Amino acid sequence: MNELPPIPRLTELINEIIDDPKEARFLAYSFKRLPTKKALSKMSLLDEWGSRMITDWSINDDHKEIIAGVYMTNAEATAKTPTSTRGDLHYRKTKLCAMALRNADNSCKAIVEIQNDMVYLTAAEVDPKQRGKGLMASLYNLITKFAFEFAGVDRVIARADLPRKSLYPKNINKSDDWRDCINPITGNTLLLEAWLKQKNTFKITGYNGEEKYNAFAILAPNIVEEGDGLGYLKSKGHIFKSI
């Protein structure tokens, strides 16, 4: 879009995203009052509508072993979510209570939330100084042991994106990062490809009714044993278009 359409059409387009006719009209008029370039730039927030973006977190330094090989403590995540108030499009910041996990030798870490019958994986990382040493399986085991043996959920839902902030701020690896490179055949990031190689892991198109890129799900073993894993994920709203 190189220019803004007339207000009725602009209102209609915005309403398709935010599902609030009155607020869509306020937004349309606010965009029309701005210089076109600035309005188009501000409209980019609509691309993230409904997304809760974790921007930062703090982790307590008192992990305790809750199940063999899984150490947990409290964490607080800072998130921002696009919102609008009478045409003023902005980010709403919130604080989220979460749990921070690590394994016995501290080579793998994760931040998770339990949401009903699933674990939402906010961030997961192998120690950057030990990357490339086959620790993906250890990270997978840390998360799945917590989710299926401790929390007793049906699935883990996540995105294979680089964390906005490293879980190992003192161990940053400055070499080229392979994780966000794209596989030209599948179109997946190499990080997503690495997750999809793990047991009972499936590519999904979204969660919470929102389309998400690089998204995947790990199903509990008993769910997979009972039948069609993709069918189960579709029934839960994690697949709403063909993959």
Side-chain angles (χ1 to χ4, degrees):
M1 187 187 296
N2 295 320
E3 60 182 26
L4 297 177
I7 283 181
R9 178 55 181 157
L10 182 57
T11 301
E12 181 182 346
L13 289 169
I14 296 171
N15 191 207
E16 290 176 1
I17 298 171
I18 70 171
D19 194 25
D20 183 338
K22 187 175 181 180
E23 190 58 35
R25 189 166 60 253
F26 279 133
L27 272 172
Y29 278 100
S30 72
F31 286 144
K32 278 292 190 177
R33 289 195 296 267
L34 295 171
T36 301
K37 187 175 181 180
K38 187 173 182 179
L40 292 173
S41 174
K42 197 168 185 180
M43 283 184 72
S44 65
L45 271 73
L46 294 175
D47 295 335
E48 300 171 343
W49 195 265
S51 298
R52 188 188 65 183
M53 294 163 283
I54 305 296
T55 58
D56 198 3
W57 49 72
S58 59
I59 300 173
N60 290 350
D61 191 22
D62 59 351
H63 291 75
K64 292 181 175 58
E65 191 171 26
I66 56 170
I67 190 171
V70 178
Y71 295 76
M72 185 181 78
T73 188
N74 293 326
E76 184 180 70
T78 302
K80 64 178 185 179
T81 305
T83 189
S84 177
T85 306
R86 294 185 66 82
D88 178 21
L89 191 59
H90 56 92
Y91 284 112
R92 181 180 70 252
K93 290 186 177 181
T94 54
K95 297 287 187 179
L96 307 168
C97 293
M99 289 149 282
L101 311 176
R102 67 167 175 81
N103 60 357
D105 65 2
N106 206 31
S107 61
C108 300
K109 291 183 178 181
I111 295 179
V112 297
E113 294 176 69
I114 300 176
Q115 298 183 0
N116 300 317
D117 56 352
M118 72 178 185
V119 161
Y120 174 73
L121 181 60
T122 297
E125 192 174 9
V126 166
D127 184 340
K129 297 297 185 182
Q130 300 187 59
R131 208 174 285 159
K133 296 183 178 180
L135 286 174
M136 191 72 182
S138 298
L139 182 59
Y140 172 88
N141 288 336
L142 172 69
I143 294 162
T144 54
K145 285 193 72 172
F146 169 81
F148 306 137
E149 297 180 28
F150 178 77
V153 301
D154 292 341
R155 61 203 184 278
V156 176
I157 302 297
R159 290 177 64 191
D161 290 334
L162 303 190
R164 288 182 171 84
K165 174 183 174 183
S166 176
L167 293 172
Y168 294 89
K170 297 180 180 179
N171 292 0
I172 300 298
N173 188 336
K174 296 183 179 180
S175 61
D176 291 340
D177 198 327
W178 58 270
R179 295 175 295 172
D180 59 352
C181 295
I182 303 296
N183 181 328
I185 298 175
T186 64
N188 298 330
T189 64
L190 296 188
L191 182 58
L192 178 58
E193 299 267 318
W195 278 111
L196 294 177
K197 291 177 182 177
Q198 307 305 313
K199 188 176 181 180
N200 299 335
T201 303
F202 301 83
K203 184 177 179 179
I204 58 177
T205 55
Y207 46 91
N208 297 336
E210 298 290 338
E211 182 174 348
K212 301 292 182 183
Y213 300 103
N214 301 323
F216 65 94
I218 307 171
L219 287 180
N222 64 299
I223 298 295
V224 177
E225 290 168 4
E226 290 172 3
D228 179 13
L230 286 175
Y232 177 82
L233 290 166
K234 188 174 182 179
S235 74
K236 293 294 185 177
H238 302 306
I239 298 176
F240 49 88
K241 72 174 186 178
S242 59
I243 298 176

